[in-house]
Amino acid sequence: MDKQQFQQELVALCDGAHVLAMQILGKREDALDVVQDAITSTLTRPEAYQAEKGPLKPWFLRVVRNRCIDLLRQIHPSDVSVEELQDNAANPEQTLALAQFDDILKHALEELTVDQRQIVVLRDYLNLSYAEIADVLDITSGTVMSRLHRSRLALK
């Protein structure tokens, strides 16, 4: 993969990485900083990514997740909250219904632990496969399935 193609793939992963960072950190500014830092370090050291070990997406999301964890270690857990996701519905009735659903979902996600929240985001928001999630979280696929199941039950 040449340098330009590598950069284009990283740019394509930014939105998903930002969603993951937002769900882990709960603060937009921190999430943007983490993603920018991850991109900068990845572009500075492109040799860190080894294509023969797997796709770029799970590898990059692992970098973002690890940087989020590093940042969380520096702040108090009580400072972390989930911000509302922006919805782009044009219909006012749909906008209201989505806002109410987002509010319910926001409160439910806030009740989850960071580990539970990140596995739900990786699977249900970023559509990663169990194998990719296992790669990002550095756990087995079986563990992904059981943690995801428990996280979804807690979310209910």
Side-chain angles (χ1 to χ4, degrees):
M1 169 181 333
D2 68 7
K3 185 177 180 178
Q4 185 177 8
Q5 184 181 11
F6 185 71
Q7 289 174 346
Q8 289 173 343
E9 285 191 37
L10 275 179
V11 168
L13 297 174
C14 286
D15 288 341
H18 183 254
V19 169
L20 175 63
M22 274 292 299
Q23 292 301 317
I24 294 173
L25 299 172
K27 294 183 180 176
R28 183 177 185 275
E29 297 80 19
D30 290 343
L32 288 171
D33 289 344
V34 164
V35 173
Q36 182 178 0
D37 185 43
I39 289 171
T40 302
S41 67
T42 301
L43 290 174
T44 304
R45 294 186 45 235
E47 70 278 358
Y49 168 64
Q50 299 171 356
E52 64 276 0
K53 289 189 176 182
L56 179 62
K57 184 177 185 177
W59 179 85
F60 182 67
L61 291 175
R62 179 189 281 189
V63 170
V64 171
R65 176 185 174 266
N66 289 343
R67 294 195 184 273
C68 288
I69 290 170
D70 290 343
L71 184 60
L72 284 175
R73 287 182 180 137
Q74 299 171 4
I75 59 177
H76 298 286
S78 61
D79 294 341
V80 178
S81 66
V82 178
E83 293 181 355
E84 284 191 51
L85 299 175
Q86 178 183 4
D87 75 57
N88 297 318
N91 182 326
E93 293 164 354
Q94 289 176 333
T95 302
L96 177 62
L98 286 174
Q100 290 171 340
F101 179 76
D102 284 347
D103 192 45
I104 292 167
L105 184 59
K106 174 189 169 212
H107 291 299
L109 284 170
E110 286 175 342
E111 297 298 317
L112 297 178
T113 66
V114 172
D115 289 336
Q116 290 173 324
R117 204 168 37 236
Q118 71 184 349
I119 203 162
V120 168
V121 168
L122 289 170
R123 180 66 188 137
D124 296 331
Y125 286 93
L126 301 179
N127 297 317
L128 266 63
S129 68
Y130 291 144
E132 290 172 324
I133 295 170
D135 190 32
V136 170
L137 300 179
D138 198 23
I139 56 178
T140 66
S141 292
T143 304
V144 169
M145 288 185 257
S146 64
R147 286 186 186 175
L148 183 59
H149 177 72
R150 286 193 305 267
S151 298
R152 286 176 174 163
L153 287 177
L155 189 59
K156 280 185 180 181

